[in-house]
């Protein structure tokens, strides 16, 4: 393996271990992460100049995973309501793994940084919502771009609710999908029925 390949493998391993360590102990130091990864501290700092830079890299990976899951959920689905539900369920399954990281990142990366990273997902969501509004599947006093922000905040809010213990993790994905559909103007009974059909 070439040196660059070794470096890439080292970086990936450090990220994987760092995520596990930070989810176990949000105050884990770079020393702890280095020990857990089986490398010296200098190696960790060679890839990530600070703890904040490491957390930012983990958030980037999380956002990329969420974006891929969101795209896979809506891909090939003609009905906008079903596409929103599938995309939300898919995104939540991935986001749920990272919800403690998001809470941690808010201390160091800032929510504005997270929102910037999510901009491509938000644009795709807005396009899908606009199609649903045009077809009469959705009904909202908000334009699609604003409604996409509402959907994003619903997911962040539910992450915080799960972290705070006010929403059982097992119900959160279904709750997220139903909530975003209702926010888009889908009648509650229809939203609940649609999501139930997708998770059964």
């Amino acid at each position: 393996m070439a040196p660059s390949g070794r470096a890439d493998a080292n970086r990936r391993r450090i990220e994987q271990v760092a995520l596990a360590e930070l989810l176990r102990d949000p105050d884990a130091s770079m020393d702890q992460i280095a020990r857990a990864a089986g490398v010296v501290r200098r190696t960790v700092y060679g890839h990530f100049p600070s703890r904040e830079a490491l957390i930012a890299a983990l958030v980037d990976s999380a956002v990329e995973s969420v974006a891929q899951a969101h795209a896979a959920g809506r891909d090939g689905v003609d009905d906008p309501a079903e596409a929103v539900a599938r995309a939300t369920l898919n995104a939540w399954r991935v986001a749920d793994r990272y919800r403690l990281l998001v809470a941690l990142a808010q201390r160091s990366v800032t929510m504005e940084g997270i929102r910037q990273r999510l901009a491509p997902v938000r644009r795709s969501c807005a396009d899908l919502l606009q199609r649903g509004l045009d077809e009469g599947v959705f009904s909202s006093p908000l334009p699609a771009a604003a409604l996409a922000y509402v959907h994003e905040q619903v997911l962040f809010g539910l992450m915080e609710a799960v972290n705070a213990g006010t929403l059982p993790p097992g119900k959160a994905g279904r709750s997220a999908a139903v909530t975003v559909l209702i926010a888009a103007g889908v009648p509650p009974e229809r939203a609940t029925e649609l999501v139930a059909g997708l998770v059964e």
Side-chain angles (χ1 to χ4, degrees):
M1 186 182 283
S4 61
R6 242 191 335 266
D8 287 345
N10 262 349
R11 181 186 174 95
R12 284 194 301 273
R13 168 149 178 76
I14 290 166
E15 285 188 6
Q16 290 168 354
V17 171
L19 178 61
E21 287 297 302
L22 288 167
L23 293 182
R24 185 183 60 77
D25 173 11
D27 296 316
S29 67
M30 296 290 264
D31 281 340
Q32 285 174 257
I33 291 166
R35 281 196 302 274
V39 297
V40 296
R41 182 180 172 189
R42 187 178 63 227
T43 301
V44 176
Y45 278 106
H47 292 287
F48 307 100
S50 66
R51 190 171 182 275
E52 289 70 26
L54 173 56
I55 291 171
L58 294 175
V59 170
D60 284 340
S61 295
V63 169
E64 184 179 338
S65 297
V66 168
Q68 290 172 353
H70 194 275
R74 62 182 190 272
D75 186 43
V77 181
D78 291 330
D79 174 21
E82 182 179 340
V84 165
R86 285 184 181 278
T88 303
L89 288 167
N90 263 21
W92 181 266
R93 287 184 194 107
V94 175
D96 188 48
R97 293 203 305 264
Y98 295 108
R99 58 188 163 78
L100 293 175
L101 173 65
V102 170
L104 174 63
Q106 288 173 7
R107 298 189 213 165
S108 56
V109 178
T110 77
M111 279 306 294
E112 185 55 36
I114 294 172
R115 285 193 188 95
Q116 288 173 2
R117 289 168 169 84
L118 286 170
V121 179
R122 197 182 311 115
R123 283 193 294 271
S124 296
C125 186
D127 290 343
L128 177 56
L129 290 167
Q130 186 61 61
R131 182 159 64 88
L133 289 167
D134 292 343
E135 294 176 11
V137 175
F138 301 140
S139 173
S140 174
L142 298 173
L147 192 54
Y149 274 100
V150 171
H151 284 195
E152 184 179 291
Q153 290 309 304
V154 165
L155 295 181
F156 279 123
L158 291 178
M159 281 184 187
E160 290 181 13
V162 174
N163 288 345
T166 58
L167 179 66
K171 294 184 177 179
R174 182 184 299 219
S175 298
V178 172
T179 302
V180 297
L181 286 174
I182 292 172
V186 176
E189 189 174 317
R190 167 66 180 140
T192 303
E193 179 185 290
L194 174 56
V195 172
L198 296 175
V199 297
E200 284 173 358

